């Protein structure tokens, strides 16, 4: 069974792990790897056993737990995606999920809501319905006010501090994808996908550096297909004003037994290679973006 908490108040809903010294212009975010399941969610779900965990980005927070040692903060959700999805607009809500009518400001017509994957998800992976009955609207709004909005405020503040220090901030939004991910033309299923909202959320050179660094480590890397980045990438990626956001999706087969919800022998190797990737990416950014600026100021 997943880890069960009597309420989110028993443990932090999310955690920002700060480095002892900020040394690189990056902020890392893992919004879908939370595995602390509130007891009220367990009581309300129609799913049994581990089935409610099918939407977790398994262990992604642990794959990137080295980044504070490299000089960047890591924001990680502790709440599960089945409870609340912070990679959505704040009010992407499905009216069929609630016992009362939605407020006028809710976005009930998005593609993500239609697919069951709104801010309060209706399904987990494999189209399994989460809840046995409709929820009070007050419960959905409470999750948004007490967890969603504070999460985004912490993320925005971390990005602002980073840009103030370096003149730029690079958000890396960290996710994992099932090994059964939809194949690209030719049957290709990449190891990783870098998303930049089709060139809008980050400078093209940064995306090229990230893709090249991962490919040099031996990974098959795709760009924007099948994942171009979600709300977080879109919301925080504003290259003209120094905020860059990329999403990285990692094929779970590289590091986990997806059915047993356990890391396998590939986990340590992948984590080490990701650390090499981040260190190399940061060195390239310093050489190409930070040192010229410093030299120009002298």
């Amino acid at each position: 069974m997943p880890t069960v908490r009597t309420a989110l108040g028993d443990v932090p809903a999310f955690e920002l792990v700060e480095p002892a010294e900020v040394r690189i212009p990056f902020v890392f975010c893992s919004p879908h790897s939370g595995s602390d399941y509130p007891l009220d969610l367990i009581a309300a779900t129609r799913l049994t056993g581990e089935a409610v965990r099918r939407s977790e980005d398994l262990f992604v927070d642990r794959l990137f737990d080295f980044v504070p040692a490299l000089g960047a903060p890591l924001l990680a959700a502790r709440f599960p995606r089945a409870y609340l999805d912070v990679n959505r607009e704040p009010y992407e809500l499905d009216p069929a999920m609630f016992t009362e009518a939605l407020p006028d400001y809710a976005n009930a017509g998005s593609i993500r809501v239609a697919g069951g994957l709104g801010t309060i998800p209706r399904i987990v992976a494999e189209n399994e319905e989460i809840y046995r009955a409709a929820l009070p609207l007050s419960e959905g709004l409470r999750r948004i006010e007490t967890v969603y909005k504070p999460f985004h405020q912490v993320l925005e503040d971390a990005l602002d501090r980073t840009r103030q220090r370096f003149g730029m901030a690079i958000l890396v939004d960290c996710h994992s994808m099932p090994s059964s991910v939809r194949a690209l033309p030719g049957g290709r299923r990449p190891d990783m996908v870098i998303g930049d909202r089709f060139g809008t959320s980050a400078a093209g050179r940064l995306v090229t550096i990230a893709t090249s660094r991962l490919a040099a480590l031996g990974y098959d890397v795709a760009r924007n297909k099948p994942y171009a980045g979600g709300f977080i990438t879109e919301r925080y990626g504003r290259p003209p004003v120094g905020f860059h956001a990329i999403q990285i999706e990692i094929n779970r087969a590289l590091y986990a037994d997806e059915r047993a919800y356990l890391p396998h022998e590939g986990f340590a190797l992948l984590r080490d290679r990701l650390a090499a990737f981040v260190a190399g990416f940061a060195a390239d950014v310093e050489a190409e973006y930070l040192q010229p600026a410093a030299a120009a100021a002298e």
Side-chain angles (χ1 to χ4, degrees):
M1 286 290 292
T3 302
V4 175
R5 306 295 184 184
T6 56
L8 275 173
D10 293 348
V11 293
F14 52 85
E15 182 179 12
L16 179 70
V17 183
E18 297 270 20
E21 178 186 359
V22 176
R23 298 192 301 275
I24 58 176
F26 288 79
V27 174
F28 288 78
C29 180
S30 180
H32 287 166
S33 56
S35 58
D36 285 322
Y37 284 76
L39 190 59
D40 57 351
L41 173 60
I42 297 299
T45 185
R46 55 175 292 278
L47 300 174
T48 59
E50 300 277 8
V52 73
R53 300 188 63 186
R54 289 178 183 159
S55 290
E56 279 182 35
D57 283 354
L58 293 172
F59 317 121
V60 166
D61 53 343
R62 289 167 53 184
L63 283 173
F64 285 91
D65 65 5
F66 58 82
V67 297
L70 294 180
L74 170 65
L75 176 62
R78 298 295 170 228
F79 59 89
R81 183 186 185 183
Y83 181 77
L84 177 73
D85 193 342
V86 291
N87 199 25
R88 299 289 182 262
E89 297 173 22
Y91 298 102
E92 284 190 81
L93 300 174
D94 183 344
M97 288 185 63
F98 300 98
T99 54
E100 299 91 11
L102 296 179
D104 292 341
Y105 52 79
N107 179 0
S110 77
I111 293 174
R112 293 179 288 210
V113 168
L117 295 171
T119 314
I120 309 295
R122 176 172 55 81
I123 64 170
V124 293
E126 302 176 15
N127 293 316
E128 289 277 0
E129 297 275 343
I130 296 173
Y131 296 99
R132 63 168 59 94
L135 298 172
L137 178 61
S138 60
E139 171 59 17
L141 297 179
R142 183 189 66 80
R143 296 180 195 181
I144 293 166
E145 291 297 325
T146 62
V147 181
Y148 180 103
K149 289 184 177 180
F151 182 95
H152 277 276
Q153 188 63 62
V154 167
L155 179 56
E156 185 171 346
D157 290 348
L159 288 165
D160 285 342
R161 290 193 300 271
T162 300
R163 192 187 66 159
Q164 288 171 10
R165 180 181 179 92
F166 295 98
M168 67 184 305
I170 303 167
L171 170 63
V172 181
D173 198 38
C174 306
H175 297 262
S176 69
M177 57 188 175
S179 58
S180 59
V181 62
R182 183 172 71 254
L184 299 177
R188 174 188 173 203
R189 285 189 168 87
D191 296 319
M192 301 188 189
V193 180
I194 296 292
D196 66 349
R197 300 296 302 175
F198 299 102
T200 64
S201 69
R205 177 60 184 153
L206 292 174
V207 180
T208 297
I209 292 170
T211 303
S212 298
R213 281 281 179 181
L214 289 169
L217 291 168
Y219 295 112
D220 179 358
V221 186
R223 182 171 174 178
N224 287 317
K225 293 183 179 180
Y227 302 105
F231 174 76
I232 288 174
T233 310
E234 182 178 24
R235 165 68 178 82
Y236 295 104
R238 291 172 285 155
V241 292
F243 292 101
H244 306 268
I246 64 173
Q247 177 177 283
I248 181 170
E249 293 271 1
I250 301 171
N251 192 315
R252 289 177 202 143
L254 292 173
Y255 69 93
D257 181 328
E258 297 167 86
R259 291 299 177 183
Y261 303 97
L262 293 170
H264 62 49
E265 67 280 356
F267 181 93
L269 175 62
L270 174 60
R271 183 182 178 279
D272 288 346
R273 287 183 174 176
L274 288 172
F277 156 67
V278 173
F281 191 5
D284 290 342
V285 168
E286 180 179 8
E288 296 192 29
Y289 288 85
L290 304 183
Q291 290 182 357
E298 291 177 355

